[in-house]
Amino acid sequence: RVATHVGSQIVEDLENSGKTAEEMLAESANIEESIIKQMTQKEPYCGIIETCLMNDMKDEACRPKACPFANEIACRYLTSCQDPSIVLEYAEALGLEVANP
């Protein structure tokens, strides 16, 4: 979601920049790099997650002990999956037994 928001903002800024179509085309050649750079500034973990996934989360940085996000709401959303009532609901839906969630 961070990438979508950042990408949309970069495109909007580019459209409103007053540059010619040719200048915008040249600048858009590096748009993915710009998105990753700005996204990493906002949420550093988002800058490494794709590499983490491709490497099966082997790097220690991919598996932080605490919430890796700078945004508090993202951390609350992420940790809500650990709530015992949520664990039980998923277990029930999947037909699994859970000893002590």
Side-chain angles (χ1 to χ4, degrees):
R1 291 183 176 203
V2 175
T4 301
H5 175 73
V6 169
S8 295
Q9 187 63 54
I10 288 173
V11 170
E12 185 178 318
D13 291 347
L14 187 58
E15 289 175 336
N16 296 328
S17 68
K19 295 181 179 182
T20 66
E22 193 173 285
E23 289 170 324
M24 287 194 299
L25 184 60
E27 196 167 319
S28 67
N30 299 319
I31 201 160
E32 185 176 356
E33 186 178 308
S34 296
I35 291 170
I36 292 170
K37 183 179 177 183
Q38 285 190 29
M39 179 180 63
T40 302
Q41 288 174 345
K42 283 183 166 240
E43 284 290 355
Y45 190 67
C46 292
I48 66 166
I49 190 65
E50 191 169 328
T51 303
C52 289
L53 293 171
M54 291 188 316
N55 293 320
D56 296 324
M57 306 295 277
K58 290 179 184 172
D59 189 323
E60 190 75 25
C62 299
R63 298 175 280 110
K65 303 272 187 245
C67 180
F69 298 110
N71 183 306
E72 183 183 333
I73 295 170
C75 287
R76 273 192 265 149
Y77 181 77
L78 182 68
T79 58
S80 69
C81 295
Q82 298 170 344
D83 183 277
S85 65
I86 302 295
V87 172
L88 288 173
E89 283 186 43
Y90 272 102
E92 184 179 319
L94 296 171
L96 303 172
E97 289 185 32
V98 177
N100 289 317

